[in-house]
Structures are given as C-alpha cells and as structure tokens.
Amino acid sequence: MRKFRIFALLLVLALVAAACSSDSDETTTTAGAEETTTTAAAEETTTTAAAEETTTTAAAPAELKTDFGVDVEAGTITVGQTADLTGPFAPLVTPILAGQKLYWGWVNANGGIGGMEVLMETRDTAYQVEQHIAAYDEIRDKVVAISHTTGSPQTLAIADALEEDDMIAVPATWYSGWTDTNIAPTVLHLGAPYCLEAMSLLDWVSEEWAKEGNEAPTLAVASIPGDFGLDSMAGALKWAEINGVEVVYDGSATIIPNQDQKPVADAIVASGANMVYVTTTPGTFGEVFGAALQQGFVGAKWSGAGPTYNPAFIAEGSAIADAIQAMWYGGFYAQPWGGDSAGMALTMQLVEEFAPDMPANDYVGLGVSEAMLVHAALQAAYDSGDMTRAGVNAALRTLDNVDFMGLAPNENYTGSTSDQVQRAITLYRPSVANLEAGGSGSEIVANDFVGPTALGFDFQEACYQF
Amino acid sequence: MRTRPRLYVSYSSEMALLPTWTQKISALIFFALLVVIPFGVIPGFGFLADNDWMKILSRVAIFAIGALGLHILSGLAGQVSLGHAFFVGIGAYTAAILGGEVGKGTWGLGLPIWIWLPAAAIVAAAIGAVIAPVAVRVRGIYLAIVTLGLVFIGEWMFRSLPFITGGSQAGRKFPGLEFRLWQEEVPLIDFTSDGSWFGVEMTSEAKTYLLLLVFVIIGVVIAKNIQRTRIGRAFMSIRDRDIAAEVMGVADTKHKVMAFALSSALAGVTGALMGAFVGRLIPEGFSLFLSIQFVAALLIGGIGTVSGTLLGATFVIVLPRLVQDFTGLLASTAESGTGVLAAIAAFFVSTAENDPGIVSTLPGTSPGLNIAQFNLLLYGLLLIGFLIFEPLGLYGIWIRIRNYWKSWPFTY
Amino acid sequence: MTLDLLVFAQAGGQEAVDKFANATSSGIALGAIYALLALGLVLIYKATQVLNFAHGALAALGAFFAAYLATVINFPGRYVTFLPTTVQWILSALVAVLITAVVGLVLERLAIRPMIGEPLFSVVMITIALDIVIRTITDDLIGTNPRPLGDPWGADVVNIGPAIVAKSELATVAVTIIALVGIALFFRSRYGVAMRATAFDQEAAMAQGISAGRIFALAWAIGAGLAAAAGIFSSLFPRSIGVSNTTAFFAFRALPAIVIGGLDSISGAVVGGFIVGLAESYAGAYFIGDTWSFLGLGFAGVMPYIVMLIVLIVRPYGLFGTEEIRRV
C-alpha cells in the first residue's frame, strides 16, 4: 500500500508535468536582458519615456545617493510589483506584467538607466488584502519603486507603509483618489480616473445618440460595490446632473459577483433607458448584458469603465458578439493593441521579437506605460544624483509632462490636484473584423479624447471617498 | 523516578498540564527560544529576526489563536465547522466599531485595546452561542455545509453594513496595536513604532510579535486547561460517542453550544488582532478560503492536539512562503546556474524558446504556468501528498519519532 | 410559497404575470444547472461518502475542454462535416464530458483511493487541495480571456407563453432531465445495483463479490462527467460569456441544493437544485426596490442558504435524505 502511495504521487506529478508541458514546445523567445542585438525600434526611437530629461549616460553624476533597490556596484536597479497573478484579475494583470517585462528588457538592452540594469521583483497577491500586505513587506527593502500594484483596497492597505518608505507606486486601478495627494501621497495616477472617464465616455455616447437624430437620452447605471464601481458611478451620475439627463435606473453597487445577475438586467430593461453605463467585471457584465438581450432589450447604447469590457465578448463563438459590436462604446486609459503611436509601435516590435506567441491584448500597452512612468521617475532621479526612494519621489514630483510616446496621454505630477488630473481617454468600438485580422478587437475611434463635461468639471477631490 | 510518556503514577500527574519533567523542560526551552527569536541570537535562524519574517511569525501567532478555537470545536467536541471565518469577521468588526476611528461613513468609538479585544471575544462568543442550537441539530457533512452557509450569509451581512465594514471591495481601517488607558494622545505602550523597551532597542515588528506571542500562550493555556476540566472531558465524550455521552448524563446540546461559544471567542480574538495587525481589511477577506485554512491547519497538524494545532497553523502560514522561495530558487538556478541542480531546475523551468517546462519565466501570456500559479499548484500537491502519506498530520510524525526512541535501542 | 406568488402575480395584471413567468423560467433554467451539479455531488457522496469540493474545478475543466474542442480544433466536427452544426457541437460537448469523466477516474485512483478508511475530513481536505490543483491548471489552460463555447444556440430565444426563454436554457433543462433518467436507469443496471449495494453496506457488498474500488471509480467518473455537463451549461448565454476563472465558483452555489434534497438522495438533488434555482430567482425578482432595501446588497445570493436552514430545522437530513441510524 505504502509503495503504491508513493507511486501514486509520482504519477500525479508526472501527469501534471505532462499536462503543462504539452503545449510548451511552441516557439517562444525570451526578452532577456542578455540579448545584445539592438532592435530596429530601438534605433528608430530616440525618445524614451523621459523625453524631457537627458538620457545619455555621459551626464552621470559622480556621486549617486542610494538606499534601497539600487546597487551601483552590481549595476542593478530593482523595481517591485505586487500583482494579482492567481486571483480574479490575473487575466488582466498577466499581460500588464508581460508588457513591463518587455519594456524593461528593452531599456536594459539600450544601456539601462545610467548603465544599470533594471530587474523586476514580482510577488503574487491573489487580490487578497492580507496577502498584498505580506507581499509588500517581503519586497519593501529590496526595491526602489513599485511599478505595479493591483487593486484599490489592496493598494490603500499598503498606502501608509508606502508613505513611510517614501516609495512611489503605480496602481493598476483608476480610482480618482490617486490624483488627490491627501489620500495616498506616493501612489501615482496614470490615466483618467473612473469618475472622469465616465464623463468623457458619456459625452461621446450622448453625442453619438444625438447624431442619430434622437431626442434627449435617458440613462441607466449599474455597478459592483467598491471604489471601482462607485467612483465610476459617481462620475456617471454627476454627468447626468450636469447635462440634465434623467437617470431612470440607479443600480450602483447592485452587481454582486458569483450571483444571478438577472434582477439587475430586469431593472435596466424595465427602465427603458437609451444609454446604459455599467461598471463591473467582464464576467458579470456578460451576464447582465445577456439577460437584457434575452428580453429583447436592443437599441440602447452601452458603455462602462475600461476593465468592464473583454474581447471575449466578440470572440469566435460568443453569443453576444453581434449585439456587443452594435451597442458597446468603449473607453480605455491607454492606446489599445495596434494603436498608431510610436509607443505602440515599440510595443509591437518587442512583442514580435520576444513574445511572438502572445495573443493580442489591450493590457500589454498599459503595462508598458506603467513601466515608462517608473522609468521616467528613475531617470530623473538618476540625473539629479539621488536615487534613494525619497529622491525618486522628489524627482518625479518635478515632472510636469511625462511623455509615453503616445501610448498614454501625457501626465503631470506637479501642481494642484486639479492640474494633475488626467481627463483624456482613448475611445474605441468593438470590431470583429479587427479581431479576425489578429488584433485585440478594439478599433480606435479617437486618441486623447476629452469630453466637454470632463473638461469643464472642477476636480478638487476624489469622487468616491473610502 | 524516570518519567515516561503515558505512564502516570498518580491522578494529579495525569491531570497536570505538563506531566513529565522532560515535557516541562522542553516546553520551557521552546518558550525561551520563541522569546529570543526577535533578537536574532539563535544560530542558523537569525533570519527570523528580519522584519519580513517577524511579520510572518506574527501572522502565524494570530492565525494560531483562531486555530486553537477551531481545535476546541472540532478537535475536542468533534463538530467540524467551515464557518470559522464568519466568527473571525464578527470579532474583527466588533473591534473596528469599538476601537476604530470614525471614517467617511464608517462608525468608530476609538476605545482602547483593553475594551475592544475582550469585546471582540465576547460578541463573537455570544453570536456563536445564538447560532449553535440551530447548528447542532445536524451532524457531519451536513454541519459542514450549514456552517459554510454561515460564511456566505456573513459575506452578505458584511457587504450590506457599509457603516461598519466600509463596504464590499472598499474596507475600512482598524484600531492599531497600541495600549492606552483611555483616549489619551500618546499611547502608554505603542507596538507599532520602533523604540526601546527596558533599554533594549526593538523594532515595531519585534514588539508586535512579542505581544502576539503572549496572546498565543494565553490561548494555549486556555485550550490545554479546557482539555483537563469536566467540560473538556464532556466535549471529548461527545466527540467519541455522543449518544453514549448523553446516556452517561453529559448534556449534548449544552456542551455543543459551549464549544461553539468558546471556539468563536478565540476566532473573534483572531479577527480583532488580524484587523489591528493588517490595518485595513475588506469584507471579502472573511471568506470560505479563510475557513478552509483553519481546517487545513487542524488536519495537517494532527486533529485533537494542541501542539498539532500550533504546528499546523505554522505550516499553513509558512508553507506558501517556503514554496515561493523554492520556486524563486528554481527559476534563478535554471536561468543562471550550473551543475546538477541547474539541470534539474531546467527540467521544470522554461527560460528560452523551444524549452519545455512547467513554469515559464517568459513574458506573461506564453505557454506554461507563471511562477505564482506554479506556487499554488505545488501548494495543492504538497497538501495532497501530505494527507495521503501522513493522515495523522505532523503530530503523527512526532508520535512515530517518539515511539522509536521510547524503546531505543530495541526498535522493531 | 409559489402559490402565493402566483396569486400575487395575477392580482398585478399582465405585467406582473410576465414578471412572474420570466422569474420562473429563469429560475428553472438556473435550477437545472444546480441540479446537474447536485446530481454529481450526490452520486459521489452516495458511493464514497466524500463531499467533493473539487466539483467546481472539474466543471470548469469540462467547460474548457468543450470550448477547446468546439472552437479551436473542431473535434470531432472536422471528421463528421456532413452532420448539422448543432450535432457537431453536441458531439464536442459529449467528448468533453467523457474526457472529464476520465479525469475523475484518474483522480479517484490517485488521490481518493489511498484515503479509504481515513478520517472523513482528511478526504474532504484532499478534494479541497485537488480543487486548488485543477483550478490552477484550468485557469492556465483557459488563458487570458474567457473562452466562449461556440454553442449553436447563440442568443436565440423562444417565447413560451409570457416567458422569454433562451434556447440554451431549454437545452439545459433537457439535458438535466436526460441525466436524471439516465441515472435512474443506471441504478437498475448491474453496476447501478452494485453501487447501491456498496452505498448501503460496503462490507456486505464486498462479500457478495462486488469490487468496491471499481464502484468508487465509476461514481467519480460519472460525477465528474455530470460536473462537466453543468460547467458547459453554466458557461452559455445568458448565464455567461464563456468559461473563465470564475466558472469554478458556480459549484458552491449548488451546495444548499444537495442539503435541501438530502445528501444521499438522487431525486432529492434534482428537487433541491430546482428549489434553489427558483428561490434565488424569485428573491432576485421580488425583493428589489426601496421597500426591500433593508435586505442589503445581494440578498438573492443567500436566499438558498436561508431556505436550506429552514429545511434543516424541520428535517435535519434534508427532504429526501435517509436519517442516519445512530447507535451507541
């Protein structure tokens, strides 16, 4: 019996090994830093994220102040990521980190930062607050900056520690409070917050509605609880108030994951709204949208915060593909896959060279833009001669126009909350044709779009307060 | 006379907390070792004094208190519960209301720790006692599913009371680990900032660890003591044969309710301390996953023993970290190392094109698991392997070692 | 309760009738999926006394196989192109169910069989660990985005009286009925009788020459197959956009069903599944609006557990479960 048990365990292991490695023989190349071949993109593109700063190593200061995560002797700079790699948001975070890895590989291949190589130190958080804190505790003394932290409550849970360490962190959430330095002074904003995103998107959708020769629209909104849903809802409701649009159904925080979503769909259908703004996870959105479609609810225009949408909606075999293509109006914080910017060209180049098997995904570019922001901060700190964590933070706070090579709208980290806030988003429509041509299925309509309501909105503090 | 395990010469020695001298001395040494860990003086284990590991050990301590609670309910009284996380949540939010500050839309009275910590235990115990009469109507797997229902009902409750919990996916702040007499500005003892204690310079992590160690020891003494009282024997008789126990005059429902209340009290303390230690929690944290971790601690440690429960709690919290360090080593060896180890590592890890392997260090979406997924997989497989090979848990291993040496050199 | 709601619905005129009909049809469709999940759970419990916590993971794995077979490699559709696409898809789904059944067989042999005679909860813990392992592998196989299953029904709907029903929902109910009949027939077959005998008294069954091990394996295979079927139907319109990393959680919603019906009752599982589905659907449809706001957020989701508690207070072994005979 005993022998059999050992045999059994070995078999399990062998089985798992076979299951996992079966499809690993496909060609993949590493974005390893050792690769010395300079890419075509590298030669063409002379602007880096820190376009305003000098990127030549010749200007290196003689004495570099460092504390954590920068090892001048070994020539390494370590940036950390506390990322959800096994939890509910793993499908979004994995390509984000892939984008970061590609970008840092490219930075390293082009001389790194002052000749120093940038390394990534990633920890899994499984989207759990406790594990997130443990992950941060584990890497806090090894890294100079956090280039990715998943989730708002999770990031907020480490916000005090981040402030204590004077460590800048790029959150992969677009909570409007990140722009407000009173809430978490070292957590950076990147991309338009949910709240202003809602305004810009609704500006666009109502414009489209009016273009079709329609009367004044009515709005129905629904979301999951938490800052993601409620910050977005705050923006949508504010938009309705400013523009005098009637809100026929307010389903803020009514979408609860792992439950039947039909009641929400019923309420939306019953309201008879012309515009529906839903902010939730792709899975629950699919349920709400599906249940509404089942009851013949067509003709309204649907939109919602960036992460609500997933290309699986229009993928081959999807039941709602046609309806989504007709009714979804999407916005995103960075340029979707296949955009026309230099930054996206670089991303595509890197993907082609180092990860040719990677499926088209809008979040890769987002990852690149996150890394670009940290790159800009590190470069500025290096140039100032102070690469301590406080030095990096201070250097970042001098940047008033961080350029992402068009991948994301330029960002400002100086001045008042109102000056700093990002109002521009990229608009797209779902396109099956784009998807079939190997794209991510997002056809760009406009880059750096700022709706009139978003432009005129006086942003002083977070739309939703924790 | 030389003492031996399981040899009792008097009733009082059988009833003693630590019956033999060997046990007394080893317990003392073990305790002393636990106390000196933060000073990094134990050869080979100096790394445990690092802030990072101090925090892991603190988490072990917090988790162990709740595990001891489940030990009373499941290990002693035989009532398996998947609802432990619910009581942890009750404790946490009791502490939050009483000890927390008023936030945007959240309540908080800002009372000191000597109020909110006992209150967390009392409220959780009271709710446990209210629910128990319903729960004890069912047995075995039915009870497991009923208590599991408790977790889901709890999640709904916590989600629907944003003025207490801060709301789903938003959460709230919890009171810190500071000892105040009342609401004075400067706390009497502050466990959350570095400073010296009796002339010894200590980090906040070390202070927190020592404080939590005290709580664990109190928990252990409670659990051990219950075991040797009338109530504890009643629990065990219900566990072993409930009808026989009833025939002998042990009130079935009464004792099950008591077991629920006691276990919930310790769970409540865990919740309050968890909130205080972490600082911010979301209602989703008190999920089935947490309950399962408690059950896993009991099963892995060896159900029915206090030392097994402590071992299991340590195992459950530390294992993911060990697994992660192991994978990290595997990946770095495969990428850069040479020799036999690198060859083995390379078998598992794919670092370059056309390199088959389970784990991939390549950018995100390439084939193969990412490292975090591999960690999870390894964790699951280790659990399976462990339960298959050692169904009695870590304590079973210890018993075998002890039996081997008991008859040494005449082993058979 | 149903009667009351019906009366209430009629009092409210046509609109109320429509609402009631839609809530009922949606509840039945949801209940059918729960019933499929519950059938598998109960079958495994009946034969092996194990509550399988890896059921959801197996469901997701089965749904992944179906998605992969139907949309990526078109198997076996590519070899039988002369058949209508609906039949091709059903064949793909059947192959997925079979593969998952084999996985169940292997799991039983490797992880559950060595645990015979060990404490009940050690075995339950093993299934929890299996859940972690299978879910991790499935998530990796699914990849970045959810995978639609490419079913032939798409977003098509039919009107049945006042209710608007998706064709995929009709298919779900049909499959549940087929599964129930199939299992009822199976229990009359040679192996079915052997399984019932083993469930009744393992030692006596073995004395009669029944291989308990084979019965265990069979139960796990059928259970895993049913899980796969449930996983496939829970990934269709309008319930979902496809199989994703949240598909596995669906199984937890079916747990109250097996308790309501009774852990060891096959018909109880189906009845329990429909009760849970309807309870959730009615709670969602009627406990809504300002009047019910005191029920907080997502009350419909805990409604099955509340029904379960009420049933258990009245009948501690479920509606159809056998009362355990307790001896001293």
Side-chain angles (χ1 to χ4, degrees):
Chain A
M1 198 61 201
R2 189 128 212 118
K3 262 185 195 158
F4 171 73
R5 284 178 179 182
I6 295 172
F7 175 70
L9 193 78
L10 281 176
L11 243 171
V12 172
L13 276 168
L15 197 81
V16 169
C20 304
S21 58
S22 61
D23 54 355
S24 307
D25 330 287
E26 293 162 37
T27 333
T28 39
T29 40
T30 162
E34 294 84 3
E35 301 249 0
T36 44
T37 49
T38 347
T39 67
E43 281 165 18
E44 285 165 15
T45 337
T46 46
T47 42
T48 70
E52 280 75 48
E53 313 299 322
T54 41
T55 51
T56 44
T57 49
E63 196 79 9
L64 192 62
K65 248 172 78 182
T66 62
D67 53 3
F68 298 95
V70 181
D71 189 339
V72 181
E73 269 169 39
T76 58
I77 298 171
T78 313
V79 292
Q81 297 84 29
T82 47
D84 173 15
L85 293 172
T86 55
F89 288 94
L92 309 185
V93 174
T94 320
I96 287 180
L97 288 197
Q100 288 213 7
K101 187 153 186 167
L102 289 171
Y103 181 76
W104 290 124
W106 174 77
V107 169
N108 291 339
N110 290 281
I113 297 171
M116 287 185 283
E117 189 187 343
V118 181
L119 304 175
M120 285 168 78
E121 189 76 44
T122 311
R123 288 293 178 275
D124 180 32
T125 66
Y127 205 66
Q128 286 176 7
V129 173
E130 270 201 89
Q131 203 174 327
H132 199 104
I133 294 170
Y136 179 68
D137 283 335
E138 204 189 321
I139 59 171
R140 68 197 288 187
D141 290 346
K142 295 179 193 161
V143 300
V144 63
I146 299 287
S147 68
H148 174 100
T149 150
T150 317
S152 299
Q154 289 81 357
T155 301
L156 216 54
I158 59 167
D160 287 346
L162 286 168
E163 193 180 351
E164 188 187 313
D165 294 349
D166 224 332
M167 174 109 73
I168 58 163
V170 184
T173 87
W174 293 268
Y175 169 49
S176 60
W178 301 143
T179 313
D180 184 348
T181 44
N182 294 323
I183 289 181
T186 60
V187 180
L188 308 178
H189 57 93
L190 173 60
Y194 301 126
C195 169
L196 292 177
E197 176 199 21
M199 294 182 192
S200 277
L201 255 175
L202 286 170
D203 277 334
W204 174 44
V205 178
S206 62
E207 203 177 286
E208 295 288 312
W209 176 255
K211 253 189 224 164
E212 290 168 15
N214 292 306
E215 295 297 301
T218 52
L219 177 68
V221 296
S223 79
I224 60 166
D227 68 298
F228 171 46
L230 294 177
D231 201 52
S232 192
M233 289 298 104
L237 295 174
K238 192 79 83 184
W239 176 87
E241 191 192 313
I242 293 169
N243 292 283
V245 170
E246 188 194 351
V247 178
V248 285
Y249 172 62
D250 179 3
S252 300
T254 52
I255 301 177
I256 311 293
N258 296 325
Q259 286 194 4
D260 189 25
Q261 308 301 345
K262 195 165 176 291
V264 183
D266 285 348
I268 291 172
V269 173
S271 76
N274 314 122
M275 288 165 54
V276 187
Y277 195 82
V278 180
T279 295
T280 180
T281 62
T284 47
F285 177 81
E287 280 184 68
V288 172
F289 188 81
L293 193 62
Q294 184 186 2
Q295 295 172 55
F297 185 68
V298 288
K301 296 191 184 306
W302 293 65
S303 54
T308 308
Y309 176 80
N310 189 291
F313 294 164
I314 55 165
E316 189 203 343
S318 165
I320 56 172
D322 296 340
I324 282 286
Q325 193 173 228
M327 293 191 259
W328 179 260
Y329 292 76
F332 205 57
Y333 317 102
Q335 252 190 0
W337 184 275
D340 51 6
S341 66
M344 187 45 81
L346 168 66
T347 308
M348 299 310 250
Q349 195 93 33
L350 292 170
V351 167
E352 210 164 288
E353 186 161 0
F354 298 113
D357 291 337
M358 188 190 286
N361 194 305
D362 292 344
Y363 287 82
V364 178
L366 204 61
V368 172
S369 66
E370 285 179 359
M372 280 176 167
L373 172 56
V374 174
H375 183 196
L378 290 176
Q379 188 68 54
Y382 177 77
D383 294 337
S384 73
D386 181 1
M387 281 194 92
T388 61
R389 294 195 293 220
V392 172
N393 190 17
L396 177 98
R397 297 293 168 192
T398 62
L399 303 179
D400 59 358
N401 193 20
V402 178
D403 180 25
F404 297 90
M405 298 158 74
L407 204 52
N410 292 7
E411 292 281 353
N412 171 15
Y413 295 94
T414 61
S416 70
T417 302
S418 183
D419 294 338
Q420 288 198 25
V421 74
Q422 178 63 263
R423 292 166 199 267
I425 53 171
T426 304
L427 304 179
Y428 71 88
R429 292 297 313 273
S431 153
V432 176
N434 177 305
L435 194 71
E436 277 166 359
S440 68
S442 309
E443 192 86 46
I444 296 172
V445 174
N447 289 319
D448 293 3
F449 174 82
V450 186
T453 315
L455 190 66
F457 183 68
D458 180 26
F459 184 85
Q460 290 300 341
E461 54 168 14
C463 300
Y464 165 77
Q465 301 277 355
F466 273 98
Chain B
M1 195 185 120
R2 202 177 140 220
T3 51
R4 299 179 139 282
R6 283 167 177 269
L7 172 72
Y8 304 112
V9 289
S10 73
Y11 187 69
S12 65
S13 84
E14 192 181 348
M15 282 294 98
L17 212 50
L18 298 162
T20 64
W21 273 106
T22 331
Q23 283 183 349
K24 282 185 182 120
I25 292 166
S26 50
L28 202 68
I29 292 174
F30 185 65
F31 175 66
L33 283 178
L34 286 178
V35 171
V36 298
I37 281 177
F39 307 105
V41 289
I42 308 171
F45 289 94
F47 68 91
L48 289 178
D50 294 350
N51 284 349
D52 169 25
W53 273 95
M54 271 305 38
K55 287 207 168 179
I56 292 177
L57 293 182
S58 299
R59 279 167 57 218
V60 170
I62 294 171
F63 187 74
I65 297 168
L68 284 169
L70 193 61
H71 157 74
I72 292 173
L73 183 62
S74 305
L76 295 185
Q79 308 297 304
V80 172
S81 163
L82 283 173
H84 217 51
F86 171 71
F87 297 107
V88 174
I90 295 284
Y93 288 122
T94 307
I97 296 175
L98 293 176
E101 300 294 323
V102 178
K104 288 249 188 237
T106 50
W107 294 352
L109 298 173
L111 299 173
I113 188 167
W114 57 267
I115 294 177
W116 59 253
L117 194 57
I122 292 165
V123 172
I127 291 179
V130 168
I131 289 166
V134 183
V136 297
R137 274 184 65 82
V138 293
R139 298 142 50 80
I141 295 275
Y142 282 95
L143 178 63
I145 301 180
V146 167
T147 48
L148 180 134
L150 214 52
V151 173
F152 286 101
I153 291 173
E155 266 184 36
W156 160 70
M157 255 173 58
F158 298 149
R159 180 167 65 220
S160 303
L161 301 170
F163 47 88
I164 295 175
T165 65
S168 170
Q169 291 297 345
R172 69 166 290 162
K173 280 198 161 199
F174 284 77
L177 284 173
E178 297 149 338
F179 189 87
R180 285 181 169 85
L181 285 177
W182 195 240
Q183 294 167 328
E184 65 261 27
E185 263 309 295
V186 183
L188 208 61
I189 312 171
D190 186 359
F191 298 94
T192 51
S193 60
D194 302 354
S196 73
W197 268 1
F198 308 112
V200 186
E201 199 61 35
M202 271 199 281
T203 60
S204 63
E205 284 81 4
K207 286 179 176 178
T208 307
Y209 164 77
L210 288 176
L211 173 74
L212 295 170
L213 191 61
V214 172
F215 287 129
V216 176
I217 288 163
I218 295 172
V220 169
V221 171
I222 291 174
K224 272 274 188 191
N225 266 326
I226 281 176
Q227 225 158 318
R228 51 193 200 124
T229 57
R230 197 186 131 85
I231 298 169
R233 288 191 296 275
F235 287 173
M236 284 185 272
S237 67
I238 289 170
R239 173 191 67 192
D240 295 339
R241 269 285 178 273
D242 53 351
I243 295 185
E246 244 175 308
V247 169
M248 286 164 66
V250 175
D252 188 65
T253 308
K254 181 184 137 195
H255 282 102
K256 282 182 181 170
V257 170
M258 280 170 89
F260 256 101
L262 275 169
S263 126
S264 310
L266 288 177
V269 171
T270 285
L273 291 176
M274 194 188 271
F277 178 72
V278 170
R280 188 181 190 94
L281 283 173
I282 54 175
E284 280 78 2
F286 307 104
S287 65
L288 180 60
F289 180 70
L290 184 63
S291 287
I292 286 175
Q293 277 190 313
F294 281 115
V295 179
L298 249 61
L299 287 172
I300 288 169
I303 201 154
T305 61
V306 168
S307 33
T309 305
L310 296 178
L311 282 174
T314 314
F315 190 85
V316 165
I317 300 291
V318 175
L319 182 67
R321 175 58 187 268
L322 294 182
V323 166
Q324 179 195 301
D325 285 356
F326 168 75
T327 340
L329 189 73
L330 207 65
S332 61
T333 318
E335 268 179 347
S336 58
T338 49
V340 187
L341 259 179
I344 298 170
F347 175 76
F348 285 104
V349 185
S350 71
T351 48
E353 55 178 305
N354 293 331
D355 179 8
I358 302 173
V359 202
S360 164
T361 58
L362 305 173
T365 46
S366 56
L369 303 165
N370 66 40
I371 287 181
Q373 284 176 320
F374 182 66
N375 286 339
L376 209 57
L377 188 73
L378 211 56
Y379 179 71
L381 287 177
L382 277 174
L383 269 184
I384 296 174
F386 195 84
L387 288 168
I388 289 180
F389 293 116
E390 200 50 72
L392 291 178
L394 293 166
Y395 192 72
I397 297 178
W398 159 241
I399 293 286
R400 253 190 291 125
I401 295 171
R402 197 178 71 181
N403 287 348
Y404 180 87
W405 287 107
K406 207 156 67 170
S407 48
W408 192 84
F410 305 108
T411 50
Y412 47 87
Chain C
M1 183 183 172
T2 313
L3 197 70
D4 287 350
L5 285 171
L6 198 64
V7 172
F8 168 75
Q10 277 165 350
Q14 188 56 39
E15 204 173 295
V17 171
D18 286 357
K19 185 176 177 180
F20 179 72
N22 274 313
T24 308
S25 70
S26 144
I28 288 173
L30 190 60
I33 301 172
Y34 291 154
L36 275 177
L37 285 164
L39 265 180
L41 283 167
V42 164
L43 197 72
I44 290 175
Y45 181 80
K46 208 171 152 68
T48 65
Q49 311 293 309
V50 175
L51 180 63
N52 179 19
F53 273 90
H55 214 66
L58 284 169
L61 186 65
F64 165 76
F65 284 140
Y68 189 76
L69 290 171
T71 63
V72 180
I73 59 172
N74 190 22
F75 178 89
R78 66 199 325 183
Y79 302 113
V80 286
T81 41
F82 54 87
L83 291 172
T85 46
T86 309
V87 180
Q88 285 184 21
W89 187 84
I90 291 172
L91 284 176
S92 296
L94 277 177
V95 173
V97 168
L98 281 178
I99 297 174
T100 319
V102 173
V103 171
L105 206 70
V106 173
L107 290 181
E108 192 277 335
R109 199 77 190 85
L110 293 181
I112 307 296
R113 192 77 65 84
M115 294 301 286
I116 289 180
E118 302 297 351
L120 197 67
F121 272 88
S122 300
V123 192
V124 171
M125 198 67 219
I126 289 243
T127 66
I128 290 172
L130 278 176
D131 175 72
I132 296 175
V133 171
I134 303 170
R135 207 144 40 84
T136 308
I137 295 174
T138 310
D139 284 357
D140 188 59
L141 290 171
I142 291 170
T144 317
N145 294 326
R147 282 177 188 255
L149 264 61
D151 61 293
W153 304 294
D156 297 349
V157 292
V158 286
N159 285 20
I160 301 178
I164 306 166
V165 184
K167 282 185 179 169
S168 54
E169 292 182 324
L170 288 179
T172 314
V173 176
V175 165
T176 307
I177 293 168
I178 293 169
L180 179 64
V181 172
I183 284 180
L185 288 178
F186 165 76
F187 271 126
R188 288 166 186 276
S189 76
R190 208 180 143 73
Y191 271 104
V193 172
M195 188 178 286
R196 272 155 64 192
T198 318
F200 190 71
D201 189 333
Q202 207 166 306
E203 277 178 20
M206 282 165 85
Q208 294 293 315
I210 295 168
S211 160
R214 201 172 293 173
I215 296 300
F216 281 21
L218 193 63
W220 269 81
I222 299 176
L226 287 169
I232 290 169
F233 285 105
S234 69
S235 304
L236 298 186
F237 178 85
R239 203 68 57 203
S240 168
I241 44 168
V243 52
S244 70
N245 61 355
T246 55
T247 305
F249 294 109
F250 213 89
F252 285 111
R253 290 160 63 176
L255 285 179
I258 62 172
V259 172
I260 290 171
L263 270 175
D264 55 355
S265 164
I266 294 291
S267 46
V270 177
V271 173
F274 283 114
I275 290 178
V276 167
L278 286 170
E280 206 178 326
S281 182
Y282 287 144
Y286 290 103
F287 296 157
I288 199 164
D290 293 338
T291 340
W292 297 99
S293 60
F294 67 91
L295 288 177
L297 300 171
F299 179 74
V302 295
M303 193 64 195
Y305 284 95
I306 289 168
V307 174
M308 174 185 92
L309 285 177
I310 293 168
V311 168
L312 281 183
I313 289 170
V314 184
R315 289 183 66 96
Y317 292 92
L319 293 177
F320 300 92
T322 8
E323 190 164 338
E324 185 193 338
I325 298 161
R326 295 157 69 195
R327 293 190 181 87
V328 179

